[in-house]
Structure formats: structure tokens, C-alpha cells
Amino acid sequence: AHRGVSGLATENTLAAFEAAGTRSYFGIETDVHRTKDGKFVVFHDDNLKRLAGRDITVEETDFETLRSIPLFETRFYKSDSTRPAAQIPTLSEYIAICKQYDKAAVIELKNHFEKADIAAITEEIAAHDWLSRTIFISFDFENLVFVREIDATATVQFLTGEVDSFDSLLDKLEQHRFDWDAYHLTVNKALVENCHKRGIKVNVWTVDEAAVAKRLIKMGVDFITSDILE
């Protein structure tokens, strides 16, 4: 469930995570940032403009300020006075929901993190006894290297958009024992089969049409990331 069931509720909010929890999704995906004062929050964008109408950078702002800013409460990013204002959740609140509903936590490390911050993130997840049910994903390869240095058994997936060379990418993934989180239009059956021969699992993002999902399932992908499909 991409950012929770973001096709039904405002992305990366407790409502979206709970919507995923009460449905048949394997896991709940989210995005993690470090605030100015060292707290870990879940929010996709680098700033609040799209989801709160405020040009405020998440990683340059303290947690208390971020928490006080109400988010738009509909997926169309308009205020709705009939609903309570949504807030930016903490990493801990998100993990608690994953554990409550027995869902895998799929955590995108949004920007580059220092190794100490990734260690702190893993410790926060471990405090809920949910590290073994967590998948770390990132476009930043070094973030995933840090994760593996901290926890040799961690499940990680390298995120990609367009790919220049699939051979070099798969060689790199196989060398580091990373799985692949691919933009769905870049994969085909032969690539998926090649990945599986190398011991690489394949996740695809972001798929919101049933026909596309069925085609990808026939290709043999291992995971599908979606805003709305169940």
C-alpha cells in the first residue's frame, strides 16, 4: 500500500495506514525524513507546500512545528472542515500500526542519511520488535549499504526509475545482495527471470490499474506497490 492506501486517504497519514491495515495488503509503504531536531517523521515531499499549503522544508524544521501544521484531509489536497485535521505521523506511530495489523513495514529512506541516523531508525523499529518485518528501500544506494552494515540480515530494495544499463544494475544488486524496486514500465518477463536466477526479488511501482497489475503478475514480479489496488 503506497504511502498507505493513498487512493482512499491522504497519503502517509494514520488514516491511510489504518486503511491498509484493515485490508489485504502485504505491507504498508512510507517515507522517512529526519527533522531539524533529530526526530524521524513520515512524509513524502521535501516540503509541506503540496499537502499543507506551507512552503516549509521538513528537514530544516523542528518536530513540534511540523506536528502543529494540519495537512489537507482529502486525497485531492483540499481542506475539509468536517474531518479532524491530519498531522504528520512519527516513524514510531507508523511502525505501531504495521505491528497492530501484522503488515510488513516498507520504509523509503528519502534523502541521504548519515549512518548514525540509519542506526537510530533501526533502533526505533527494533523497539517495536518489528525489524525482521521491515523492508528498507531507497534511491540512495549508500543508504542501503549503511542499513546492511548495521543489520546484515536486513531486507533492502534499491529504487530505480529509468535505467541506463540493466546488466550493470543487476550485477551491482547481486554483488550487494539487494533486491530491486523498479519503475513498472522498465521491467519485462526476461528481466524478471534474470533477476530470479540471480536471487534478486522484484518490486514494481506504482501500479494503480488492474490490467497492468495482472500483466506484471504474469511476468512473475514478487511485489506490486499501489495507491489503491488490493
PDB file of all heavy atoms in Angstrom, residues 1-12 15-17 19-20 23 25 74-77 83 206 208 226-229:
ATOM      1  N   ALA A   1       0.855  -1.187   0.000  1.00  0.00           N
ATOM      2  CA  ALA A   1       0.000   0.000   0.000  1.00  0.00           C
ATOM      3  C   ALA A   1       0.900   1.250   0.000  1.00  0.00           C
ATOM      4  O   ALA A   1       1.557   1.535   0.994  1.00  0.00           O
ATOM      5  CB  ALA A   1      -0.922  -0.001   1.222  1.00  0.00           C
ATOM      6  N   HIS A   2       0.942   1.946  -1.121  1.00  0.00           N
ATOM      7  CA  HIS A   2       1.857   3.055  -1.346  1.00  0.00           C
ATOM      8  C   HIS A   2       1.463   4.285  -0.527  1.00  0.00           C
ATOM      9  O   HIS A   2       0.410   4.865  -0.738  1.00  0.00           O
ATOM     10  CB  HIS A   2       1.841   3.404  -2.836  1.00  0.00           C
ATOM     11  CG  HIS A   2       2.847   4.418  -3.246  1.00  0.00           C
ATOM     12  ND1 HIS A   2       2.509   5.529  -3.983  1.00  0.00           N
ATOM     13  CD2 HIS A   2       4.181   4.497  -3.030  1.00  0.00           C
ATOM     14  CE1 HIS A   2       3.598   6.240  -4.225  1.00  0.00           C
ATOM     15  NE2 HIS A   2       4.622   5.641  -3.656  1.00  0.00           N
ATOM     16  N   ARG A   3       2.312   4.654   0.459  1.00  0.00           N
ATOM     17  CA  ARG A   3       2.032   5.753   1.382  1.00  0.00           C
ATOM     18  C   ARG A   3       0.735   5.484   2.160  1.00  0.00           C
ATOM     19  O   ARG A   3      -0.051   6.383   2.444  1.00  0.00           O
ATOM     20  CB  ARG A   3       1.956   7.096   0.650  1.00  0.00           C
ATOM     21  CG  ARG A   3       3.154   7.371  -0.256  1.00  0.00           C
ATOM     22  CD  ARG A   3       3.026   8.692  -0.994  1.00  0.00           C
ATOM     23  NE  ARG A   3       3.939   8.713  -2.148  1.00  0.00           N
ATOM     24  CZ  ARG A   3       3.984   9.667  -3.067  1.00  0.00           C
ATOM     25  NH1 ARG A   3       3.176  10.715  -2.966  1.00  0.00           N
ATOM     26  NH2 ARG A   3       4.821   9.610  -4.084  1.00  0.00           N
ATOM     27  N   GLY A   4       0.509   4.206   2.501  1.00  0.00           N
ATOM     28  CA  GLY A   4      -0.797   3.788   2.982  1.00  0.00           C
ATOM     29  C   GLY A   4      -1.720   3.632   1.780  1.00  0.00           C
ATOM     30  O   GLY A   4      -1.272   3.642   0.635  1.00  0.00           O
ATOM     31  N   VAL A   5      -3.008   3.458   2.017  1.00  0.00           N
ATOM     32  CA  VAL A   5      -3.930   3.417   0.872  1.00  0.00           C
ATOM     33  C   VAL A   5      -4.195   4.861   0.463  1.00  0.00           C
ATOM     34  O   VAL A   5      -5.222   5.458   0.810  1.00  0.00           O
ATOM     35  CB  VAL A   5      -5.242   2.675   1.209  1.00  0.00           C
ATOM     36  CG1 VAL A   5      -6.063   2.499  -0.071  1.00  0.00           C
ATOM     37  CG2 VAL A   5      -4.960   1.311   1.805  1.00  0.00           C
ATOM     38  N   SER A   6      -3.246   5.431  -0.258  1.00  0.00           N
ATOM     39  CA  SER A   6      -3.322   6.853  -0.591  1.00  0.00           C
ATOM     40  C   SER A   6      -4.368   7.147  -1.648  1.00  0.00           C
ATOM     41  O   SER A   6      -4.647   8.313  -1.937  1.00  0.00           O
ATOM     42  CB  SER A   6      -1.949   7.371  -1.036  1.00  0.00           C
ATOM     43  OG  SER A   6      -1.404   6.559  -2.059  1.00  0.00           O
ATOM     44  N   GLY A   7      -4.976   6.100  -2.222  1.00  0.00           N
ATOM     45  CA  GLY A   7      -6.110   6.311  -3.109  1.00  0.00           C
ATOM     46  C   GLY A   7      -7.398   6.552  -2.354  1.00  0.00           C
ATOM     47  O   GLY A   7      -8.403   6.962  -2.937  1.00  0.00           O
ATOM     48  N   LEU A   8      -7.385   6.318  -1.024  1.00  0.00           N
ATOM     49  CA  LEU A   8      -8.591   6.496  -0.216  1.00  0.00           C
ATOM     50  C   LEU A   8      -8.439   7.576   0.848  1.00  0.00           C
ATOM     51  O   LEU A   8      -9.432   8.170   1.257  1.00  0.00           O
ATOM     52  CB  LEU A   8      -8.953   5.174   0.483  1.00  0.00           C
ATOM     53  CG  LEU A   8      -9.331   3.998  -0.419  1.00  0.00           C
ATOM     54  CD1 LEU A   8      -9.599   2.762   0.434  1.00  0.00           C
ATOM     55  CD2 LEU A   8     -10.546   4.331  -1.270  1.00  0.00           C
ATOM     56  N   ALA A   9      -7.234   7.803   1.314  1.00  0.00           N
ATOM     57  CA  ALA A   9      -6.995   8.778   2.379  1.00  0.00           C
ATOM     58  C   ALA A   9      -5.719   9.555   2.074  1.00  0.00           C
ATOM     59  O   ALA A   9      -4.902   9.121   1.262  1.00  0.00           O
ATOM     60  CB  ALA A   9      -6.876   8.076   3.726  1.00  0.00           C
ATOM     61  N   THR A  10      -5.563  10.686   2.723  1.00  0.00           N
ATOM     62  CA  THR A  10      -4.366  11.485   2.489  1.00  0.00           C
ATOM     63  C   THR A  10      -3.123  10.659   2.751  1.00  0.00           C
ATOM     64  O   THR A  10      -3.000  10.006   3.789  1.00  0.00           O
ATOM     65  CB  THR A  10      -4.354  12.729   3.391  1.00  0.00           C
ATOM     66  OG1 THR A  10      -5.539  13.482   3.139  1.00  0.00           O
ATOM     67  CG2 THR A  10      -3.153  13.605   3.096  1.00  0.00           C
ATOM     68  N   GLU A  11      -2.216  10.670   1.798  1.00  0.00           N
ATOM     69  CA  GLU A  11      -1.022   9.834   1.856  1.00  0.00           C
ATOM     70  C   GLU A  11      -0.225  10.038   3.147  1.00  0.00           C
ATOM     71  O   GLU A  11      -0.163  11.136   3.699  1.00  0.00           O
ATOM     72  CB  GLU A  11      -0.117  10.158   0.661  1.00  0.00           C
ATOM     73  CG  GLU A  11       0.413  11.595   0.696  1.00  0.00           C
ATOM     74  CD  GLU A  11       1.184  11.957  -0.550  1.00  0.00           C
ATOM     75  OE1 GLU A  11       0.598  11.851  -1.646  1.00  0.00           O
ATOM     76  OE2 GLU A  11       2.364  12.347  -0.443  1.00  0.00           O
ATOM     77  N   ASN A  12       0.388   8.955   3.606  1.00  0.00           N
ATOM     78  CA  ASN A  12       1.288   8.995   4.759  1.00  0.00           C
ATOM     79  C   ASN A  12       0.656   9.597   6.017  1.00  0.00           C
ATOM     80  O   ASN A  12       1.318  10.297   6.788  1.00  0.00           O
ATOM     81  CB  ASN A  12       2.578   9.749   4.409  1.00  0.00           C
ATOM     82  CG  ASN A  12       3.533   8.907   3.581  1.00  0.00           C
ATOM     83  OD1 ASN A  12       3.529   7.680   3.685  1.00  0.00           O
ATOM     84  ND2 ASN A  12       4.346   9.547   2.768  1.00  0.00           N
ATOM     85  N   ALA A  15      -4.648   7.679   8.975  1.00  0.00           N
ATOM     86  CA  ALA A  15      -5.857   7.167   8.313  1.00  0.00           C
ATOM     87  C   ALA A  15      -5.502   6.285   7.126  1.00  0.00           C
ATOM     88  O   ALA A  15      -6.114   5.234   6.903  1.00  0.00           O
ATOM     89  CB  ALA A  15      -6.734   8.335   7.864  1.00  0.00           C
ATOM     90  N   ALA A  16      -4.505   6.686   6.345  1.00  0.00           N
ATOM     91  CA  ALA A  16      -4.085   5.895   5.187  1.00  0.00           C
ATOM     92  C   ALA A  16      -3.439   4.582   5.618  1.00  0.00           C
ATOM     93  O   ALA A  16      -3.653   3.534   4.999  1.00  0.00           O
ATOM     94  CB  ALA A  16      -3.111   6.701   4.334  1.00  0.00           C
ATOM     95  N   PHE A  17      -2.666   4.625   6.700  1.00  0.00           N
ATOM     96  CA  PHE A  17      -2.024   3.410   7.199  1.00  0.00           C
ATOM     97  C   PHE A  17      -3.065   2.441   7.755  1.00  0.00           C
ATOM     98  O   PHE A  17      -2.999   1.228   7.529  1.00  0.00           O
ATOM     99  CB  PHE A  17      -0.996   3.747   8.273  1.00  0.00           C
ATOM    100  CG  PHE A  17       0.116   4.646   7.807  1.00  0.00           C
ATOM    101  CD1 PHE A  17       0.703   5.559   8.671  1.00  0.00           C
ATOM    102  CD2 PHE A  17       0.575   4.590   6.495  1.00  0.00           C
ATOM    103  CE1 PHE A  17       1.728   6.386   8.246  1.00  0.00           C
ATOM    104  CE2 PHE A  17       1.599   5.424   6.048  1.00  0.00           C
ATOM    105  CZ  PHE A  17       2.170   6.324   6.934  1.00  0.00           C
ATOM    106  N   ALA A  19      -6.187   2.293   6.858  1.00  0.00           N
ATOM    107  CA  ALA A  19      -6.943   1.772   5.712  1.00  0.00           C
ATOM    108  C   ALA A  19      -6.228   0.570   5.104  1.00  0.00           C
ATOM    109  O   ALA A  19      -6.863  -0.403   4.683  1.00  0.00           O
ATOM    110  CB  ALA A  19      -7.139   2.865   4.663  1.00  0.00           C
ATOM    111  N   ALA A  20      -4.903   0.619   5.072  1.00  0.00           N
ATOM    112  CA  ALA A  20      -4.128  -0.521   4.582  1.00  0.00           C
ATOM    113  C   ALA A  20      -4.190  -1.673   5.577  1.00  0.00           C
ATOM    114  O   ALA A  20      -4.284  -2.847   5.192  1.00  0.00           O
ATOM    115  CB  ALA A  20      -2.679  -0.102   4.344  1.00  0.00           C
ATOM    116  N   ARG A  23      -7.173  -3.956   5.309  1.00  0.00           N
ATOM    117  CA  ARG A  23      -7.346  -4.624   4.018  1.00  0.00           C
ATOM    118  C   ARG A  23      -6.262  -5.684   3.841  1.00  0.00           C
ATOM    119  O   ARG A  23      -5.486  -5.939   4.740  1.00  0.00           O
ATOM    120  CB  ARG A  23      -7.354  -3.583   2.894  1.00  0.00           C
ATOM    121  CG  ARG A  23      -8.616  -2.725   2.935  1.00  0.00           C
ATOM    122  CD  ARG A  23      -8.534  -1.539   1.977  1.00  0.00           C
ATOM    123  NE  ARG A  23      -9.821  -0.854   1.878  1.00  0.00           N
ATOM    124  CZ  ARG A  23     -10.287   0.016   2.771  1.00  0.00           C
ATOM    125  NH1 ARG A  23      -9.561   0.324   3.844  1.00  0.00           N
ATOM    126  NH2 ARG A  23     -11.459   0.595   2.603  1.00  0.00           N
ATOM    127  N   TYR A  25      -3.520  -5.964   2.083  1.00  0.00           N
ATOM    128  CA  TYR A  25      -2.168  -5.627   1.636  1.00  0.00           C
ATOM    129  C   TYR A  25      -1.113  -6.401   2.422  1.00  0.00           C
ATOM    130  O   TYR A  25      -1.236  -6.596   3.630  1.00  0.00           O
ATOM    131  CB  TYR A  25      -1.922  -4.125   1.788  1.00  0.00           C
ATOM    132  CG  TYR A  25      -2.764  -3.282   0.862  1.00  0.00           C
ATOM    133  CD1 TYR A  25      -3.977  -2.748   1.290  1.00  0.00           C
ATOM    134  CD2 TYR A  25      -2.357  -3.043  -0.445  1.00  0.00           C
ATOM    135  CE1 TYR A  25      -4.758  -1.993   0.439  1.00  0.00           C
ATOM    136  CE2 TYR A  25      -3.133  -2.291  -1.308  1.00  0.00           C
ATOM    137  CZ  TYR A  25      -4.333  -1.766  -0.863  1.00  0.00           C
ATOM    138  OH  TYR A  25      -5.113  -1.027  -1.715  1.00  0.00           O
ATOM    139  N   THR A  74      -8.076  15.455   2.329  1.00  0.00           N
ATOM    140  CA  THR A  74      -8.571  14.626   1.238  1.00  0.00           C
ATOM    141  C   THR A  74      -7.450  14.387   0.257  1.00  0.00           C
ATOM    142  O   THR A  74      -6.478  15.123   0.193  1.00  0.00           O
ATOM    143  CB  THR A  74      -9.754  15.279   0.486  1.00  0.00           C
ATOM    144  OG1 THR A  74      -9.240  16.301  -0.383  1.00  0.00           O
ATOM    145  CG2 THR A  74     -10.744  15.893   1.445  1.00  0.00           C
ATOM    146  N   ARG A  75      -7.574  13.325  -0.517  1.00  0.00           N
ATOM    147  CA  ARG A  75      -6.522  12.984  -1.476  1.00  0.00           C
ATOM    148  C   ARG A  75      -6.460  13.999  -2.611  1.00  0.00           C
ATOM    149  O   ARG A  75      -5.549  13.966  -3.436  1.00  0.00           O
ATOM    150  CB  ARG A  75      -6.736  11.578  -2.034  1.00  0.00           C
ATOM    151  CG  ARG A  75      -8.005  11.370  -2.821  1.00  0.00           C
ATOM    152  CD  ARG A  75      -8.107   9.922  -3.265  1.00  0.00           C
ATOM    153  NE  ARG A  75      -7.020   9.573  -4.157  1.00  0.00           N
ATOM    154  CZ  ARG A  75      -7.196   9.239  -5.440  1.00  0.00           C
ATOM    155  NH1 ARG A  75      -8.403   9.233  -5.969  1.00  0.00           N
ATOM    156  NH2 ARG A  75      -6.163   8.913  -6.197  1.00  0.00           N
ATOM    157  N   PHE A  76      -7.427  14.896  -2.686  1.00  0.00           N
ATOM    158  CA  PHE A  76      -7.391  15.941  -3.711  1.00  0.00           C
ATOM    159  C   PHE A  76      -6.751  17.216  -3.181  1.00  0.00           C
ATOM    160  O   PHE A  76      -6.742  18.247  -3.825  1.00  0.00           O
ATOM    161  CB  PHE A  76      -8.805  16.220  -4.222  1.00  0.00           C
ATOM    162  CG  PHE A  76      -9.454  14.990  -4.774  1.00  0.00           C
ATOM    163  CD1 PHE A  76     -10.424  14.324  -4.051  1.00  0.00           C
ATOM    164  CD2 PHE A  76      -9.074  14.467  -5.995  1.00  0.00           C
ATOM    165  CE1 PHE A  76     -11.017  13.166  -4.543  1.00  0.00           C
ATOM    166  CE2 PHE A  76      -9.654  13.311  -6.494  1.00  0.00           C
ATOM    167  CZ  PHE A  76     -10.624  12.664  -5.771  1.00  0.00           C
ATOM    168  N   TYR A  77      -6.197  17.130  -1.936  1.00  0.00           N
ATOM    169  CA  TYR A  77      -5.417  18.209  -1.354  1.00  0.00           C
ATOM    170  C   TYR A  77      -6.230  19.492  -1.177  1.00  0.00           C
ATOM    171  O   TYR A  77      -5.797  20.577  -1.478  1.00  0.00           O
ATOM    172  CB  TYR A  77      -4.149  18.462  -2.173  1.00  0.00           C
ATOM    173  CG  TYR A  77      -3.479  17.170  -2.536  1.00  0.00           C
ATOM    174  CD1 TYR A  77      -3.237  16.818  -3.850  1.00  0.00           C
ATOM    175  CD2 TYR A  77      -3.144  16.251  -1.537  1.00  0.00           C
ATOM    176  CE1 TYR A  77      -2.660  15.606  -4.165  1.00  0.00           C
ATOM    177  CE2 TYR A  77      -2.571  15.035  -1.846  1.00  0.00           C
ATOM    178  CZ  TYR A  77      -2.326  14.721  -3.164  1.00  0.00           C
ATOM    179  OH  TYR A  77      -1.764  13.515  -3.469  1.00  0.00           O
ATOM    180  N   ARG A  83     -13.819  17.014   8.854  1.00  0.00           N
ATOM    181  CA  ARG A  83     -12.934  15.980   9.379  1.00  0.00           C
ATOM    182  C   ARG A  83     -11.868  16.606  10.278  1.00  0.00           C
ATOM    183  O   ARG A  83     -11.467  17.741  10.070  1.00  0.00           O
ATOM    184  CB  ARG A  83     -12.227  15.241   8.239  1.00  0.00           C
ATOM    185  CG  ARG A  83     -13.169  14.550   7.262  1.00  0.00           C
ATOM    186  CD  ARG A  83     -12.364  13.820   6.207  1.00  0.00           C
ATOM    187  NE  ARG A  83     -13.232  13.198   5.207  1.00  0.00           N
ATOM    188  CZ  ARG A  83     -12.791  12.478   4.186  1.00  0.00           C
ATOM    189  NH1 ARG A  83     -11.500  12.297   4.033  1.00  0.00           N
ATOM    190  NH2 ARG A  83     -13.625  11.945   3.322  1.00  0.00           N
ATOM    191  N   THR A 206       4.585   2.581  -9.610  1.00  0.00           N
ATOM    192  CA  THR A 206       3.431   2.493  -8.756  1.00  0.00           C
ATOM    193  C   THR A 206       2.283   2.093  -9.678  1.00  0.00           C
ATOM    194  O   THR A 206       2.011   2.784 -10.640  1.00  0.00           O
ATOM    195  CB  THR A 206       3.146   3.836  -8.066  1.00  0.00           C
ATOM    196  OG1 THR A 206       4.258   4.225  -7.273  1.00  0.00           O
ATOM    197  CG2 THR A 206       1.883   3.766  -7.233  1.00  0.00           C
ATOM    198  N   ASP A 208      -1.615   1.269 -10.468  1.00  0.00           N
ATOM    199  CA  ASP A 208      -2.967   1.556  -9.984  1.00  0.00           C
ATOM    200  C   ASP A 208      -4.072   1.011 -10.896  1.00  0.00           C
ATOM    201  O   ASP A 208      -5.246   1.240 -10.650  1.00  0.00           O
ATOM    202  CB  ASP A 208      -3.151   3.069  -9.811  1.00  0.00           C
ATOM    203  CG  ASP A 208      -2.312   3.611  -8.666  1.00  0.00           C
ATOM    204  OD1 ASP A 208      -1.976   2.833  -7.759  1.00  0.00           O
ATOM    205  OD2 ASP A 208      -1.978   4.810  -8.689  1.00  0.00           O
ATOM    206  N   SER A 226       1.149  -0.033  -4.856  1.00  0.00           N
ATOM    207  CA  SER A 226      -0.043   0.585  -5.428  1.00  0.00           C
ATOM    208  C   SER A 226      -0.695   1.564  -4.465  1.00  0.00           C
ATOM    209  O   SER A 226      -0.660   1.369  -3.250  1.00  0.00           O
ATOM    210  CB  SER A 226      -1.055  -0.501  -5.805  1.00  0.00           C
ATOM    211  OG  SER A 226      -2.261   0.081  -6.268  1.00  0.00           O
ATOM    212  N   ASP A 227      -1.314   2.605  -5.020  1.00  0.00           N
ATOM    213  CA  ASP A 227      -2.083   3.550  -4.228  1.00  0.00           C
ATOM    214  C   ASP A 227      -3.458   3.000  -3.863  1.00  0.00           C
ATOM    215  O   ASP A 227      -4.074   3.457  -2.892  1.00  0.00           O
ATOM    216  CB  ASP A 227      -2.314   4.843  -5.027  1.00  0.00           C
ATOM    217  CG  ASP A 227      -1.046   5.624  -5.278  1.00  0.00           C
ATOM    218  OD1 ASP A 227      -0.123   5.550  -4.455  1.00  0.00           O
ATOM    219  OD2 ASP A 227      -0.963   6.298  -6.330  1.00  0.00           O
ATOM    220  N   ILE A 228      -3.959   2.037  -4.642  1.00  0.00           N
ATOM    221  CA  ILE A 228      -5.373   1.706  -4.497  1.00  0.00           C
ATOM    222  C   ILE A 228      -5.699   0.230  -4.732  1.00  0.00           C
ATOM    223  O   ILE A 228      -6.668  -0.290  -4.203  1.00  0.00           O
ATOM    224  CB  ILE A 228      -6.238   2.581  -5.446  1.00  0.00           C
ATOM    225  CG1 ILE A 228      -7.737   2.463  -5.137  1.00  0.00           C
ATOM    226  CG2 ILE A 228      -5.938   2.254  -6.915  1.00  0.00           C
ATOM    227  CD1 ILE A 228      -8.152   3.031  -3.803  1.00  0.00           C
ATOM    228  N   LEU A 229      -4.885  -0.505  -5.502  1.00  0.00           N
ATOM    229  CA  LEU A 229      -5.186  -1.904  -5.764  1.00  0.00           C
ATOM    230  C   LEU A 229      -5.119  -2.710  -4.472  1.00  0.00           C
ATOM    231  O   LEU A 229      -4.300  -2.465  -3.609  1.00  0.00           O
ATOM    232  CB  LEU A 229      -4.185  -2.499  -6.755  1.00  0.00           C
ATOM    233  CG  LEU A 229      -4.237  -2.007  -8.203  1.00  0.00           C
ATOM    234  CD1 LEU A 229      -3.114  -2.624  -8.995  1.00  0.00           C
ATOM    235  CD2 LEU A 229      -5.574  -2.344  -8.845  1.00  0.00           C
TER     236      LEU A 229
END
